[in-house]
Amino acid sequence: MQGNVRPESMERITTKALADAFIDEQVKEVREQVGDKKVLLALSGGVDSSVVAALLIKAIGKQLVCVHVNHGLMRKGESEQVIEVFGKALDANLIYVDATDRFLDLLKDVAEPEKKRKIIGGEFIKVFDEESAKLEGISFLAQGTIYPDILESDGVKAHHNVGGLPEDMEMELVEPVKLLYKDEVRVVGEALGLPHAMVYRQPFPGPGLGVRCLGAITRDRLHALREADAILREEFDKCGLAEKVWQYFIAVPDFKSVGVRDSKRYEGWPAIIRAVNTTDAMTATIEEIPYAVLHKITDRITHEVEGINRVLLDLTPKPIGTIEWE
Ligand code: XMP
């Protein structure tokens, strides 16, 4: 099995031929590791877990059991899409768990970012343990860990798919893309035949909107964030930025300011737009969004989203900011 350090001799996967060679090698390794046992996969619907799902479906077919946990922190329409693509189109073994209340109840009044991440990661593992207990003979847990997750799991941030695993985990891990950078995961995904739109979809963190609903999450502010984010994505789609920009989203902090609506005082949260470009998520630059697009987004968010009364633009590159907002 591969270790956690990418060998210097490992060529960057940039072509279909290199991706095919990687896939063949991983299919063989996964089959050797798994034998005739069953594998449980946390399928968030993001690029990483989707590519792992496709790779494992190729390697072991119905021995793979995909579990999609809706932690209540998904973007608008996202869980529905996972059911559509994997449950229906790809005919995978898919279990859908709506755990929204469980997660949001646990997160109530928790403001500290690392604590929020640990709660979300810990609860994920619990849900998976519960789901696997209901299934016969699950021996492995597959994860969409990628190389930047490993490089950054040095205490700077506890990514749920690296830092959050309990030491007494009973299931052995299957992590076929853990030595790959994001751009390589995408090349592998296309080589596996996944739809272009899915493979080039922007990344979404495991803790989801939980890291963008700053401070202690409340249901009303989370709802406002989800709606504002959906508007941003819709407008980026319309003007062609969705294909061009690497990652873009809204964050909503936990403070209000005074505004005016319908000639009355209207207190609301600000929606912060972040749109960045990068190749490997280790550094990032800011996309220069045309002002006409910014005005349109601002107009729609402030008129359509209950609770938002200002729209701000984050101009901070990484470093010094991280890509996410927490
Ligand atoms: P940061 O905020 O550290 O993010 O600059 C770098 C990239 O990683 C994504 N990210 C995550 N991905 N689980 C993931 O799978 C996580 O917990 C997580 N946190 C951040 C982030 O969206 C960005 O693309």
Side-chain angles (χ1 to χ4, degrees), residues 48 117 149 152 157 159-161 203-207 212 246-247 281 318 322-324 326:
D48 305 336
R117 279 180 172 272
D149 297 331
E152 293 190 17
K157 183 183 283 183
H159 284 167
H160 85 265
N161 49 1
F204 188 58
R212 299 173 184 170
W246 198 82
Q247 194 168 10
K318 174 179 181 177
T322 51
I323 290 175
E324 291 296 340
E326 46 188 323

Side-chain angles (χ1 to χ4, degrees), residues 213-216 218-225 251-261 265-272 305-312:
C213 191
L214 310 184
T218 56
R219 289 179 194 238
D220 54 353
R221 194 158 49 87
L222 180 62
H223 179 73
L225 163 60
V252 177
D254 58 346
F255 60 82
K256 287 187 170 179
S257 67
V258 176
V260 188
R261 183 184 272 183
R265 181 185 168 103
Y266 184 77
E267 287 187 10
W269 304 289
I272 301 164
V305 183
E306 185 60 36
I308 304 274
N309 69 350
R310 289 173 200 264
V311 175
L312 316 180

Side-chain angles (χ1 to χ4, degrees), residues 27-250:
V27 164
K28 202 164 143 263
E29 268 198 36
V30 168
R31 283 182 184 155
E32 270 168 25
Q33 185 189 0
V34 169
D36 60 0
K37 300 281 195 320
K38 284 189 191 158
V39 180
L40 186 64
L41 170 68
L43 180 57
S44 70
V47 179
D48 305 336
S49 63
S50 297
V51 171
V52 168
L55 189 53
L56 294 187
I57 287 167
K58 186 177 171 87
I60 55 169
K62 295 275 182 185
Q63 283 167 253
L64 175 70
V65 182
C66 298
V67 175
H68 177 68
V69 176
N70 181 353
H71 49 22
L73 303 166
M74 307 296 289
R75 287 174 294 191
K76 194 173 180 179
E78 211 160 35
S79 286
E80 292 81 353
Q81 194 186 37
V82 167
I83 294 168
E84 195 57 43
V85 172
F86 288 95
K88 297 189 182 155
L90 292 180
D91 191 29
N93 261 338
L94 175 68
I95 296 169
Y96 172 70
V97 186
D98 184 354
T100 301
D101 287 338
R102 250 173 99 156
F103 280 84
L104 294 188
D105 288 350
L106 276 177
L107 287 164
K108 193 167 176 288
D109 300 326
V110 181
E112 212 258 303
E114 286 307 291
K115 220 166 156 190
K116 285 164 69 179
R117 279 180 172 272
K118 291 228 159 75
I119 288 172
I120 297 166
E123 196 60 11
F124 247 105
I125 300 304
K126 268 201 201 154
V127 174
F128 285 127
D129 271 353
E130 287 173 18
E131 288 307 317
S132 66
K134 289 185 208 159
L135 299 161
E136 294 276 294
I138 296 278
S139 314
F140 295 88
L141 181 72
Q143 296 196 123
T145 310
I146 67 171
Y147 205 44
D149 297 331
I150 291 174
L151 294 178
E152 293 190 17
S153 67
D154 56 1
V156 174
K157 183 183 283 183
H159 284 167
H160 85 265
N161 49 1
V162 175
L165 293 175
E167 278 172 14
D168 62 353
M169 252 260 329
E170 281 160 29
M171 289 182 275
E172 197 182 310
L173 294 179
V174 179
E175 297 177 302
V177 299
K178 74 175 174 184
L179 296 186
L180 302 191
Y181 289 101
K182 197 89 190 184
D183 51 310
E184 298 177 287
V185 176
R186 291 191 158 123
V187 178
V188 168
E190 280 220 300
L192 281 163
L194 283 175
H196 180 85
M198 175 179 284
V199 168
Y200 282 86
R201 174 164 55 188
Q202 58 166 325
F204 188 58
L209 298 182
V211 299
R212 299 173 184 170
C213 191
L214 310 184
I217 297 166
T218 56
R219 289 179 194 238
D220 54 353
R221 194 158 49 87
L222 180 62
H223 179 73
L225 163 60
R226 181 176 287 121
E227 293 300 317
D229 188 69
I231 290 172
L232 177 79
R233 287 193 287 145
E234 218 176 286
E235 292 303 321
F236 266 40
D237 259 338
K238 278 190 210 156
C239 70
L241 280 173
E243 278 283 311
K244 184 175 170 239
V245 181
W246 198 82
Q247 194 168 10
Y248 48 94
F249 56 85
I250 297 284

Side-chain angles (χ1 to χ4, degrees), residues 231 234-235 238-239 273 290-304 311:
I231 290 172
E234 218 176 286
E235 292 303 321
K238 278 190 210 156
C239 70
I273 299 173
Y291 263 84
V293 177
L294 288 170
H295 285 307
K296 177 89 190 292
I297 292 167
T298 303
D299 187 62
R300 283 198 60 195
I301 290 178
T302 52
H303 283 91
E304 294 174 31
V311 175

